[in-house]
């Protein structure tokens, strides 16, 4: 469900009546550097938006830059150099910790550069597999 008064946000409705924010604005709190106690709260945010917030974390920005550089700043599918994004080929759920692996903790072969168009087409056609790590 998208609210017309707040277009930069996308809201998802789950079984409860509570709405979950999917994205955060670029100028939000996630850009600040975090001390250890703030980072703990940042990484354990209860809302669905916690993953989106992690994409503004300095560790992800550094990892993203490595992947883009490795792939020659081009989409590995169509070779475009516009609107590039880094795609996770699979997600890892760590059963012992009851959380997903942090976006920057994936091995390089599971991260690829895609343009925005190929990325959204891929997510539309295919479901990214989730692997349970014990």
């Amino acid at each position: 469900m998208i609210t017309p008064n707040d277009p930069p946000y996308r809201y998802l409705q789950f079984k409860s009546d509570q709405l979950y924010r999917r994205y955060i604005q670029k100028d939000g709190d996630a850009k600040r550097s975090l001390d250890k106690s703030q980072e703990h709260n940042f990484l354990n945010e209860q809302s669905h938006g916690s993953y989106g917030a992690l994409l503004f974390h300095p560790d992800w920005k550094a990892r993203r830059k490595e992947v883009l550089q490795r792939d020659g700043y081009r989409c590995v599918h169509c070779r475009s150099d516009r609107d590039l994004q880094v795609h996770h080929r699979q997600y890892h759920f760590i059963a012992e910790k009851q959380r997903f692996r942090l976006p920057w903790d994936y091995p390089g072969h599971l991260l690829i550069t895609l343009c925005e168009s190929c990325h959204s087409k891929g997510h539309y056609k295919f479901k990214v597999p989730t692997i349970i790590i014990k």
Side-chain angles (χ1 to χ4, degrees):
M1 175 173 78
I2 299 173
T3 59
N5 296 334
D6 204 7
Y9 295 111
R10 183 181 191 103
Y11 290 88
L12 301 173
Q13 185 83 38
F14 293 103
K15 289 185 180 180
S16 72
D17 291 334
Q18 185 178 3
L19 292 174
Y20 291 86
R21 185 179 291 167
R22 172 97 163 101
Y23 302 107
I24 64 167
Q25 288 182 326
K26 288 182 182 177
D27 59 350
D29 291 338
K31 288 181 97 173
R32 294 182 300 167
S33 64
L34 306 170
D35 66 25
K36 283 293 180 195
S37 65
Q38 289 173 317
E39 185 172 10
H40 176 64
N41 291 335
F42 182 74
L43 298 177
N44 292 309
E45 188 176 319
Q46 291 288 322
S47 73
H48 190 70
S50 60
Y51 180 79
L54 290 172
L55 300 182
F56 293 96
H57 193 281
D59 290 342
W60 172 248
K61 288 181 177 185
R63 185 70 168 128
R64 179 183 186 277
K65 186 176 179 180
E66 289 172 11
V67 174
L68 290 171
Q69 190 172 17
R70 179 200 68 199
D71 293 338
Y73 294 95
R74 294 210 171 261
C75 173
V76 298
H77 183 67
C78 73
R79 305 304 297 155
S80 171
D81 62 353
R82 296 182 176 265
D83 302 318
L84 298 177
Q85 301 175 349
V86 174
H87 169 67
H88 287 80
R89 297 175 72 183
Q90 60 184 228
Y91 298 117
H92 293 169
F93 184 78
I94 305 166
E96 182 179 295
K97 295 181 181 181
Q98 287 296 297
R99 67 173 180 82
F100 283 91
R101 178 175 277 178
L102 295 171
W104 53 85
D105 283 341
Y106 286 81
H109 70 281
L110 294 178
L111 300 169
I112 58 171
T113 302
L114 294 173
C115 67
E116 184 178 13
S117 175
C118 290
H119 197 186
S120 48
K121 285 177 191 173
H123 276 286
Y124 179 76
K125 285 182 159 184
F126 307 102
K127 183 180 185 316
V128 176
T130 298
I131 309 300
I132 297 175
I133 310 285
K134 296 186 184 209

